[in-house]
Amino acid sequence: MRIKSLVSATLLAVALATAPTAAIAAEKTAFKLGWSIYVGWMPWGWADDTGIVKKWADKYGITIEVTQFNDYVESINQFTASDYDAVTLTNMDALSIPSAGGVDTSVVVINDYSNGNDMVIAKNAKDVAGLKGEKINLVELSVSEYLLVRALETAGLTSRDVTVVNTSDADMVAAAATPDVSTVVTWNPLASEIVAAGNGTAIFDSSKIPGEIMDLTVAKTEVLADNPAFGKALAGIWYETMGVMTAETPEGAAARAAMGASSGTDQKGFESQLSATNLFATPQAGLDFVNSADLSAKMDAVRQFLFAKGLFGAGAASADIVGIALANGDTLGDPANVKLRFDPVFMQAAADGKL
């Protein structure tokens, strides 16, 4: 499962300082992609197993090594500080780890956004307003804490109105079953397991903040600039895989069953998670989202949260410290320090049939 905890830019800077100096990006033929288990990223493993990755790599005369990481944060650290060329991660983590750490990062495809997979689950509170004064268990400095902050805002509350108890995702289901835990914030499949066990009711979920919790496949900007074939291959792999797995055909059902098994559930469980995921199954769907007028507002909410939590480092004077280039040409933050780019070039190539 995806562990969504964030690593501060300060800690990352230490890691980068002690890591071997990465080679300057240049034309090459061998590439590495890291991914971790989550409903929106399972297609990468399945595509590798079934030969779709090799098919598109062969088309461009390259090789793509696809590696599954059991530790989500480690996959991002490998992308940031080593020779990994691409990785799967959330928009929050893209901004707070590689981008804040100085690695210029570009979105190749937007895989999905959480549309109910992340939940605030309460035993006592009937609505968000009822959370005032409650202790809330979640993975601190994570997408779960971001969801909680956004939920509290809807009731005129802030983080100061609750007490956050940092709880590992590995302990969340067990914690929710204890009588002294009244509220948890977590993600699927943990959230569904907690609700199914009768240990609370979802009173807020990510469908209330559509598009803010994004799941992405990104690559180093310099690598893409020198090797556009790599970006084209990644887009080709993603959209061909989407065409198979979303089809109501025996092949589609088999693909979903295989992805479910690989993620520790079955076809029914995987499809339940898909129902709470806004999957960008076509290039046009991805383009519509990345070109939408409100992407700026969504990313602004995320960067303000990261700044408030100190995840841009102690020396950050404002959320503007890292620049975010949007598809419409606008920039959030420092235009002289753009480190996260929503560049639609590869999704557009897929939409135009030019892969």
Side-chain angles (χ1 to χ4, degrees):
M1 62 185 284
R2 176 178 57 171
I3 302 170
K4 304 182 188 174
S5 22
L6 305 176
V7 177
S8 77
T10 302
L11 292 176
L12 180 64
V14 174
L16 287 173
T18 58
T21 301
I24 296 174
E27 187 174 353
K28 60 181 187 174
T29 59
F31 302 89
K32 296 169 71 173
L33 163 72
W35 70 282
S36 52
I37 291 179
Y38 176 68
V39 60
W41 297 327
M42 295 309 299
W44 287 115
W46 183 84
D48 191 39
D49 292 341
T50 57
I52 293 176
V53 169
K54 185 177 186 304
K55 169 188 170 181
W56 282 90
D58 286 350
K59 176 176 180 177
Y60 289 103
I62 61 176
T63 62
I64 301 175
E65 179 184 335
V66 177
T67 301
Q68 177 192 328
F69 283 79
N70 292 326
D71 185 327
Y72 167 64
V73 171
E74 180 59 22
S75 72
I76 306 173
N77 289 341
Q78 287 294 318
F79 169 77
T80 302
S82 77
D83 60 347
Y84 271 79
D85 304 288
V87 73
T88 59
L89 76 183
T90 68
N91 55 322
M92 286 180 59
D93 293 337
L95 187 56
S96 68
I97 305 181
S99 296
V103 176
D104 198 323
T105 302
S106 289
V107 177
V108 179
V109 293
I110 297 183
N111 306 117
D112 67 82
Y113 67 73
S114 177
N115 198 33
N117 270 320
D118 298 80
M119 306 178 196
V120 179
I121 302 169
K123 294 176 182 175
N124 302 327
K126 303 304 180 185
D127 54 27
V128 174
L131 294 177
K132 187 172 184 178
E134 288 276 310
K135 290 183 179 180
I136 301 177
N137 293 64
L138 50 74
V139 178
E140 204 168 8
L141 302 177
S142 74
V143 172
S144 290
E145 188 166 1
Y146 176 78
L147 182 71
L148 174 63
V149 168
R150 296 288 283 119
L152 293 172
E153 288 173 356
T154 66
L157 302 176
T158 72
S159 298
R160 293 186 295 274
D161 293 305
V162 299
T163 301
V164 168
V165 180
N166 190 29
T167 306
S168 166
D169 65 296
D171 300 327
M172 196 67 68
V173 174
T178 62
D180 57 333
V181 172
S182 62
T183 307
V184 300
V185 187
T186 191
W187 53 84
N188 272 328
L190 303 179
S192 293
E193 187 174 346
I194 291 167
V195 172
N199 290 319
T201 301
I203 59 171
F204 191 90
D205 65 50
S206 52
S207 69
K208 306 296 193 301
I209 53 168
E212 292 186 30
I213 301 176
M214 308 170 205
D215 298 302
L216 315 171
T217 298
V218 305
K220 291 171 180 169
T221 300
E222 287 186 351
V223 170
L224 293 174
D226 291 334
N227 305 274
F230 177 51
K232 290 180 180 180
L234 290 178
I237 293 162
W238 177 255
Y239 293 117
E240 178 173 343
T241 303
M242 289 295 97
V244 176
M245 72 165 283
T246 61
E248 292 302 324
T249 63
E251 292 78 13
R256 295 189 296 275
M259 292 181 207
S262 295
S263 63
T265 183
D266 54 17
Q267 181 180 341
K268 182 179 179 181
F270 187 72
E271 290 175 347
S272 175
Q273 292 177 45
L274 279 176
S275 70
T277 305
N278 192 94
L279 199 65
F280 294 114
T282 67
Q284 191 58 55
L287 283 171
D288 289 345
F289 182 80
V290 80
N291 288 318
S292 63
D294 61 349
L295 180 62
S296 178
K298 297 179 192 304
M299 287 307 301
D300 186 53
V302 169
R303 73 189 188 115
Q304 296 297 343
F305 169 83
L306 294 176
F307 173 69
K309 295 297 179 179
L311 290 169
F312 286 141
S318 74
D320 289 337
I321 189 169
V322 178
I324 305 169
L326 303 175
N328 65 1
D330 292 344
T331 299
L332 283 174
D334 187 355
N337 188 41
V338 172
K339 296 299 180 185
L340 181 60
R341 303 171 191 271
F342 285 85
D343 188 345
V345 61
F346 298 108
M347 289 182 282
Q348 188 66 60
D352 293 341
K354 294 181 178 180
L355 293 181

